[in-house]
Amino acid sequence: MATSPQPAPLTPRQHSGISRRLLLTATASALFFTATACGSAVNAEGGSSSDGLITLSMHNPDSKTQDPATWQLVQEFNKKHPDMKIKLEGQPVDQHEQRMTIAAQSGTLPEIFWVYDSLAKTMVKSDDLLDLGPILAENGLRAKFAPSMLAGFQQDGVQYGLPYQALVTGFYYNKTILDEHAIAVPETFDDLLAAVKKLKAAGVVPIAQGANNSSFSVWAFLTMLDRFGYEATYQDILSGKASYDNADFLRLYKHVEELAKAGAFPANMNTQTYAQAVASYTAGKAAFLDAGVWEAAKIQKTAVGKDTGFWAGPTFSDGVGDQKLVMNVPSAPFVVSAKVKEDKKKYAAVKAFLQFYYSDAGQKILVDNAQPPVTTYQPAVDAAKDSVFAAVLAEASKSGWKSPKAQPDLVVSAATASAMYDSFYGVMGGSLSPEEAVQNVQKTIK
């Protein structure tokens, strides 16, 4: 799930989960061994370092600026535990995935690392990952999590991962623009469609989207997929008992086509990137932005910050199942090398770091960096100072609303996830019919 400009690229999946076999190529091996031989793993401060009892390897080459919450957590841990110092390193997402895959094969995995869940599931089958159940059993750590935050990272009785950060997605909206055109914040799809038509007629871009090198940026539409029964259906689809090309999903894509024909998306959608779409919203040029919590702090600092709210997206009268859904799920996990158990000092350091990361003090650091907690920690957010982040948290915890267990693209292969992104953008841009869109995704499922 690629690299968006968010502090931690959570969802761009087009190259993730590549199979271990495919990565055993001369090119990939050369890249990996060149990087390790030259000591070029980049640490949190932009340099190279061999210091540290254990290594935390992330999917950002410069965590200090790209993922300040994790960077600060590591600094605080190192102050408290100088005898257990953590080296924080990272590479761009795709290179990181390759390195972790080949490191698993060569027995050189870092002690703790971030990885896409699809690759983690492959690693756990090969006994590359530590069962974190015993660590959760100590000091009441398991009780700090809602069951849904742990359930997605369990396989064959093994708790192979823990949530790195929470993924809350939907639409940011500009209250001033909506008020200027006498538009209430939508609730239903019909409300959204009517708003789109009114905004388009007034010369305002309704929804900021950017597909260029950013095909993953369809988060709000993935939530809509859950409102058409995806969560209850996807396992049957993957097993061949059902098909992505079904009447329910097709209705959703036809609704997306309705939005496109009504002018919901910018004329330059296919040539602008996600980052440019965000910039158009923060410049006050669009009424809505399809994004997630990672943009809250950035939006707050712009001219539209004081006017921005957050919306979980439309409900559908012809949807399937519960419509009161807001995407508030664990993102890709932290995992631990199984070899850690062979070294008492490293095992103790890993255990201490995880206990700190998920403590209230650790979760407060996430919140202070505009990231929602992944535990049951209740943050105190100044709604006057951080109104955008407060709006996201309020929407994510609305009474009577619930979250799917996982974002739809996080439970399928990389090829299928990429096809899902392209299917939505294809319909948005008019290059695919709804029928072609669902068929294209189904073709990737074997």
Side-chain angles (χ1 to χ4, degrees), residues 325-375:
L325 297 176
V326 56
M327 191 63 68
N328 181 12
V329 298
S331 67
F334 278 137
V335 296
V336 176
S337 168
K339 287 193 172 184
V340 164
K341 197 65 182 291
E342 300 170 8
D343 187 314
K344 289 183 179 180
K345 288 185 178 180
K346 290 186 176 183
Y347 183 79
V350 165
K351 183 167 63 174
F353 177 70
L354 294 178
Q355 290 280 351
F356 174 66
Y357 190 96
Y358 298 108
S359 69
D360 287 355
Q363 293 299 289
K364 184 179 183 300
I365 291 174
L366 284 184
V367 172
D368 288 346
N369 285 277
Q371 292 290 340
V374 295
T375 69

Side-chain angles (χ1 to χ4, degrees), residues 122-333:
T122 298
M123 289 182 172
V124 76
K125 288 179 181 177
S126 302
D127 298 322
D128 294 321
L129 302 182
L130 183 70
D131 182 359
L132 301 175
I135 293 178
L136 285 173
E138 295 190 32
N139 301 322
L141 185 58
R142 184 180 294 276
K144 290 183 175 293
F145 295 92
S148 61
M149 280 288 172
L150 298 177
F153 305 133
Q154 297 169 356
Q155 185 165 289
D156 299 327
V158 174
Q159 184 74 49
Y160 63 83
L162 297 175
Y164 151 63
Q165 289 181 358
L167 186 63
V168 182
T169 63
F171 289 108
Y172 289 100
Y173 60 87
N174 186 313
K175 301 172 188 176
T176 298
I177 291 178
L178 296 186
D179 288 347
E180 285 176 353
H181 299 282
I183 298 171
V185 178
E187 294 182 7
T188 68
F189 175 77
D190 289 340
D191 294 339
L192 176 60
L193 185 61
V196 163
K197 291 177 178 178
K198 198 167 187 178
L199 291 164
K200 180 65 175 178
V204 177
V205 172
I207 303 174
Q209 297 276 167
N212 186 22
N213 293 320
S214 311
S215 64
F216 52 83
S217 58
V218 288
W219 299 284
F221 294 88
L222 292 172
T223 305
M224 294 180 204
L225 196 57
D226 273 315
R227 296 191 181 107
F228 280 81
Y230 179 88
E231 187 161 84
T233 310
Y234 80 88
Q235 289 180 327
D236 284 344
I237 291 173
L238 296 180
S239 69
K241 295 178 182 178
S243 174
Y244 194 95
D245 181 3
N246 64 68
D248 294 331
F249 292 1
L250 182 59
R251 282 200 308 282
L252 169 60
Y253 281 86
K254 288 184 176 179
H255 286 313
V256 176
E257 185 178 52
E258 287 181 79
L259 289 175
K261 289 182 176 179
F265 310 110
N268 65 340
M269 179 183 72
N270 289 327
T271 58
Q272 77 172 354
T273 64
Y274 165 71
Q276 290 169 326
V278 174
S280 71
Y281 175 81
T282 56
K285 296 179 181 179
F288 296 90
L289 170 67
D290 181 355
V293 64
W294 58 87
E295 296 295 353
K298 180 191 300 181
I299 292 172
Q300 188 72 62
K301 296 175 183 176
T302 70
V304 303
K306 67 183 186 305
D307 301 320
T308 291
F310 188 76
W311 175 45
T315 60
F316 295 84
S317 60
D318 60 349
V320 176
D322 194 348
Q323 295 297 294
K324 292 183 176 181
L325 297 176
V326 56
M327 191 63 68
N328 181 12
V329 298
S331 67

Side-chain angles (χ1 to χ4, degrees), residues 428-445:
M428 291 178 194
S431 62
L432 292 176
S433 69
E435 291 80 6
E436 291 170 331
V438 293
Q439 290 166 9
N440 284 357
V441 178
Q442 179 58 33
K443 289 174 184 176
T444 68
I445 299 171

